[in-house]
Amino acid sequence: MRTATTVEGSAGDWKELTSFVVEAEQLGLDVCWVAEAWGTDAPSPLGYLAARTDRILLGSGVMQLGTRSPVTIAQTAMTLQQLSEGRFLLGLGASGPQVMEGLHGIPFDRPLARMRETVEIVRRVFTGEKLSYDGDRFTIPLPGGQGRPMRLSMRPVSVPIYLATLSPKMLELTGEVADGWLGTSFIPEAAATAYFAHLDAGLTRSGRTRADLDICQGAEVNIIGEDELSTVLGSRKMELAFSLGGMGTGSTNFYNDAYSRQGWADIAAHVRDRWQAGDRAGASALITDEMVLATTLIGTEDMVRARLAAWKSAGVDTVRLYPAGDSLHARLKNLGQAIDLINELER
């Protein structure tokens, strides 16, 4: 399995963030993804990190559909691929209605069609050909206008495209058109039906197999002593309650749906109801230890080693590690230990 991490610049401490990525590269990390969400953008830090690193792959994890035109996404990807000398990975995600409509004022409608057409247009731009596209969401050039098909004044590039998806139809699309899948809320014991059945359906439709898709899964990693476990799980429950209750709206929450498909439908529904009603503590109290441990890499070294083995057995190709810690040193220590455990599994 390859190793990866995700960083974001929302905290604003760019010196520490850069030090973390540079040190992570020296620890042997393979990939660094830069998040966007509702904080800083992804491309700006990626350009800076490309200049500060030498080997590590750098990816947008993720750029959000709708906030940029497909051609702007392609331009950004091609620029970052050149700046990084071929180390860039393009990660795309549909986000959700709260961010798209509540923050950007962009309708969150037909995300499946928008994703498919965006990938098709971006790939055409990468080839250097003149762009002419007639789809349901995008038509280029604009009909009835004065424009004619154009190509970018940049040399063609090849950039792997990863999709961050959770819903069944989006997972099928990922298997059909993407080079990699950026997953989350992943329980290896339930992944066959919750995720892989849908990914495999898309892969079959495109005449490919699982070997053609990089399965990249992410989770918090926190290697601790047994005496610390109860305290750490308690703090993590509030974060999971936010994912199930606050990451979306009362009717649309892809994280809640993912946990529901993996055996926790009743709890996930109650957590969302409590959170939406403003009862944050009540929502957090519903989260069980098992829910946290099943989807994270939290625990003693032996516990984390066992969970990593389960991920590997389930078919994960790249482990995206979110190292816990209240200091740069603590996060790097967690990351280094996790990398060592993964390397141990690969030997």
Side-chain angles (χ1 to χ4, degrees):
M1 292 187 291
R2 292 194 307 179
T3 57
T5 194
T6 295
V7 300
E8 57 182 310
S10 299
D13 191 342
W14 296 105
K15 183 177 180 180
E16 182 171 302
L17 182 148
T18 303
S19 296
F20 173 80
V21 176
V22 170
E23 291 292 332
E25 181 179 50
Q26 294 177 4
L27 287 172
L29 193 79
D30 297 306
V31 189
C32 178
W33 297 92
V34 176
E36 193 164 77
W38 51 90
T40 58
D41 76 318
S44 299
L46 282 164
Y48 183 73
L49 291 173
R52 296 297 306 274
T53 56
D54 300 307
R55 175 195 56 81
I56 197 169
L57 298 177
L58 299 167
S60 57
V62 297
M63 279 198 271
Q64 299 158 333
L65 300 187
T67 60
R68 305 164 176 86
S69 74
V71 174
T72 302
I73 290 172
Q75 287 177 300
T76 303
M78 295 172 78
T79 302
L80 287 168
Q81 187 70 321
Q82 292 183 4
L83 285 172
S84 65
E85 297 182 321
R87 292 185 286 134
F88 178 66
L89 308 173
L90 175 59
L92 298 173
S95 190
Q98 178 56 46
V99 172
M100 288 296 100
E101 298 181 0
L103 182 62
H104 295 287
I106 299 168
F108 186 74
D109 60 339
R110 302 187 66 192
L112 186 68
R114 186 184 293 272
M115 180 74 86
R116 177 184 292 278
E117 294 188 14
T118 296
V119 172
E120 289 175 352
I121 292 168
V122 166
R123 283 222 168 97
R124 290 191 190 184
V125 175
F126 286 168
T127 67
E129 67 182 62
K130 287 186 177 181
L131 181 61
S132 180
Y133 189 87
D134 186 11
D136 293 329
R137 307 303 300 163
F138 302 101
T139 304
I140 305 171
L142 187 68
Q146 301 179 58
R148 294 183 179 182
M150 294 179 61
R151 63 168 57 91
L152 294 188
S153 59
M154 302 173 71
R155 66 176 182 270
V157 299
S158 177
V159 180
I161 297 178
Y162 286 65
L163 300 185
T165 55
L166 284 172
S167 68
K169 290 297 183 182
M170 279 290 197
L171 289 165
E172 285 188 28
L173 180 65
T174 302
E176 182 181 353
V177 305
D179 299 296
W181 173 46
L182 294 173
T184 186
S185 306
F186 181 79
I187 302 168
E189 294 83 359
T193 54
Y195 296 117
F196 290 133
H198 308 295
L199 289 168
D200 289 344
L203 286 164
T204 299
R205 194 155 57 232
S206 63
R208 303 192 301 163
T209 68
R210 192 87 61 80
D212 298 306
L213 188 72
D214 181 22
I215 305 296
C216 180
Q217 275 301 325
E220 178 180 341
V221 60
N222 195 1
I223 301 173
I224 54 178
E226 193 169 348
D227 58 328
E228 303 172 83
L229 192 57
S230 177
T231 300
V232 171
L233 290 179
S235 64
R236 186 66 181 81
K237 288 177 182 179
M238 180 60 77
E239 297 174 26
L240 181 51
F242 169 65
S243 294
L244 300 182
M247 286 289 284
T249 65
S251 60
T252 305
N253 184 316
F254 301 117
Y255 299 95
N256 193 290
D257 293 343
Y259 271 82
S260 296
R261 294 200 309 273
Q262 296 177 97
W264 284 298
D266 288 343
I267 294 178
H270 290 311
V271 169
R272 177 168 56 192
D273 291 343
R274 293 266 183 104
W275 190 279
Q276 293 291 320
D279 183 7
R280 309 296 197 248
S284 176
L286 292 171
I287 303 295
T288 66
D289 289 355
E290 182 187 8
M291 292 176 73
V292 175
L293 292 172
T295 53
T296 64
L297 298 168
I298 293 174
T300 65
E301 183 174 295
D302 285 342
M303 291 170 65
V304 173
R305 181 184 288 109
R307 292 312 288 162
L308 286 169
W311 281 39
K312 179 179 175 65
S313 179
V316 172
D317 300 303
T318 302
V319 182
R320 199 166 69 255
L321 303 160
Y322 301 87
D326 55 7
S327 67
L328 175 62
H329 174 76
R331 291 193 296 276
L332 287 170
K333 181 181 178 182
N334 256 320
L335 182 65
Q337 287 180 281
I339 291 173
D340 287 343
L341 289 176
I342 292 168
N343 290 337
E344 176 186 309
L345 275 177
E346 293 301 297
R347 287 197 288 269

